[in-house]
Each structure stands twice: as structure tokens, then as C-alpha cells.
Amino acid sequence: MRPAATALKYDGITAAGLDAYEERIAIYNRDGGRCRTCGEPVAFDAFELAHRIANTKANRKRWGPAIIDHPLNRVVAHPGRCNSAQNIGGSPGACAELIKQIQEDL
């Protein structure tokens, strides 16, 4: 018997995988299908979720998964430069403001 977190829903998709896909849809819809860096439309099958506070071991240890994995920390971006441009790690003020917003949302 499989644990609940990996129980198969249908067609081989796990509950965790389905939740992640639904969250991608929600963030894409929240951002209106537009790249948050350049403002241009981005196709659903071509966008990336850019972490504003980078998803690194150090940041996970410092801020925790609740901050790093929060939808407000992730935005729609084109792959490559647009994704990289979303990183606000070099701006302590911007990081503090985003963390405050996330903590209010939790």
C-alpha cells in the first residue's frame, strides 16, 4: 500500500504531482499568462516559475520552505534571462517586503 502523499490519483499522476500542476495553473492565471519580467505573453507550455527569493539550500535553511515554496515567491517568467531577472536576493529591502507579504498571507 502506498502512503497517502504518493497515492496514485489517475493515469499515474500522484496527489503531490497533481497539486503542483494545479498550483502552476493558479500562478499562471494570477499573472494573466504574462511574464512578470518583460510583460509579454508566455504560452502555458513554455513558461517557468521563477523564484523571487532563490530556491537554494541556504535560503531554505534561512527562510524555510513555507517562504520559498509560497505562491507569492513564484512568478511566471520566460526561460533564461527573464527567469534570472526575477531574483531579488541582492536587494535586502525587496526580500524583507516580500517576506512580510508572505508572512501576512500564512
Side-chain angles (χ1 to χ4, degrees), residues 1-22:
M1 182 171 191
R2 297 175 187 266
T6 59
L8 296 178
K9 288 275 194 170
Y10 54 88
D11 293 335
I13 300 174
T14 64
L18 187 58
D19 290 345
Y21 183 73
E22 289 171 345

Side-chain angles (χ1 to χ4, degrees), residues 15-32:
L18 187 58
D19 290 345
Y21 183 73
E22 289 171 345
E23 190 168 39
R24 281 182 64 85
I25 292 169
I27 293 170
Y28 184 83
N29 289 334
R30 177 199 69 197
D31 290 351

Side-chain angles (χ1 to χ4, degrees), residues 4 7 13-14 21-22 25 31 36-38 40 43-44 49-50 58 63 67 72 87 92 104:
I13 300 174
T14 64
Y21 183 73
E22 289 171 345
I25 292 169
D31 290 351
R36 290 277 296 269
T37 304
C38 69
E40 294 295 318
F44 184 78
L49 286 179
W63 304 114
I67 299 292
L72 291 177
N87 188 340
E104 289 172 357

Side-chain angles (χ1 to χ4, degrees), residues 4 10 22-23 33 42 44 56 58 63 69 82 92 96 98 100 103:
Y10 54 88
E22 289 171 345
E23 190 168 39
V42 57
F44 184 78
T56 64
W63 304 114
D69 296 333
C82 286
L98 178 59
K100 181 181 174 186
Q103 288 173 334

Side-chain angles (χ1 to χ4, degrees), residues 27 30-31 36 48-50 52 73-77 86:
I27 293 170
R30 177 199 69 197
D31 290 351
R36 290 277 296 269
E48 291 181 350
L49 286 179
R52 301 193 63 222
N73 187 43
R74 293 179 289 162
V75 296
V76 171
Q86 283 298 318

